[in-house]
Amino acid sequence: MAPNPSVESLKERYEAAGQSQVFKCWGDLTPEQQSTFLGQLNSLDVERVNRIWKKAVDVEKELASGSAGDEEISPLPDDAFDTILGAPDKEKEWREVGIKAIADGRVGVLLMAGGQGTRLGSSDPKGCYDIGLPSHKSLFQYQAERIARLQTVAEEEQGKSKGSVVIPWYVMTSGPTRQPTVAFFEKNNYFGLDKKNVVFFEQGTLPCLTMDGKILLQSKGEIAVAPDGNGGLYAALRSPLSPDNTTHNVLGDLEQRGITFVHAYCVDNCLVRVADPVFLGYSISKQADCAAKVVRKTVPTESVGVVALKGGKFSVVEYSEISKEQSERRDAGGELAFRAANIANHFYTTDFLKRVESFEGEMAFHIARKKIPHVDVTSGEFVKPAKPNGMKLELFVFDVFPYAHHMKVLEVERKEEFSPLKNAPGTGSDDPETSRADLLAQQKRFLQAAGATVGDGVEIEVSPLVSYAGEGLQVAKGQQYSRSGLVESAEELDALK
């Protein structure tokens, strides 16, 4: 019987790419396994994998030798940086611009939600996590309700009819979190949002490689793969939304809907202002094609990356790359010169997101050396290594910053906008307890700013459907609240006096 030409052509292609080892166990596979494996091999751009590996290794060598590591690191230029701290007039002005863009249907939201809650002791997607609020709402629900409230606020402030303003929500999952995420949304009826305005898409993967760039096998008929990092967001925007709909992708959907401005953020921040009109309005007013929201680094030793210039280009500079002298440097106002702490909260124009493809090949993937279980293609045995034996390659979402034509940075108040959920319960920092405390403390401030008095130890959870950022609480003025409770409508505050 003549050999299957598709098998032969694939073998030739992989051999030409120096990756023929993937076929070493071919003869041990059943026809069905061979067919599945062929599909995976055929869908993989093996030449791109080689290019990515080579560039990542070359850049790492350059950095190690110091030839690329001597790029000057300097603070953000004044014309690229603004703050809302102590600037209520600017904040109000930018908010109005953002609200108008939302009301005009020009704003979409990208959520990076590919992570599992493993470090939190949960196998569910991180967005399903309940941080222990009185309502027991998940992170996904909080964010969905903020979108719903903001749509209403935009309608009311811009004189639009009820239900006419839509902020589409693009939820990026990973392979393992796709099905449980969709199932969670369906089970909860999309948290009150219209199903057609919630679009799920999937982060890409890359093969796991040996230290010398050879593709590893997870089984005799399956390549070992790993997510390509949160910077895989950009390629994922171009990928088909589903195997059944290969011509439609997120970029096409944005275009169809007339979305020109996009807010992107990570799922694990319980204080995130989804589609924040202030940040949107700032970025639009400054004609940014890409912008980052940051919080103030107050202690020189804080282990956070900061947005700064590296070799004259916008970058996130890791704390390990900044000298002690630089980290302690102060500006004329007495603030840390390098203080723009990165929180993975970004603005893009849709045009910029489309442009990423043109420079994606210039971005170097980052290498993570890991212990990767695999099949030894020589013996056919499954190996669980005791020490790192291979590498996973990933892009970071901020790797696009150097390519922006008009990059801007906005500083916001940390206690109002950033409380990440990273660690297991009881850790004492960035854990479910700190997230819960930070969110309830903010809602207490909302009530106090509205003119209410809240008793010591009283915890009032104000639903995002009642207030997005402190608005809509006029009924609290002059009131004293002495009882803890959950408030799903402003009228329910009466019961907590």
Side-chain angles (χ1 to χ4, degrees), residues 89 105 107 120 125 134 175 272 278 293 317 330 374 378 488 492:
D89 292 345
V107 173
L120 305 168
V272 66
V278 177
K293 185 186 276 197
V317 181
R330 303 271 170 179
H374 66 285
T378 308
E488 291 281 12
E492 290 177 16

Side-chain angles (χ1 to χ4, degrees), residues 263-280:
H263 177 224
Y265 70 95
C266 287
V267 74
D268 61 2
N269 175 15
C270 69
L271 294 180
V272 66
R273 297 198 173 175
V274 188
D276 176 20
V278 177
F279 183 40
L280 287 162

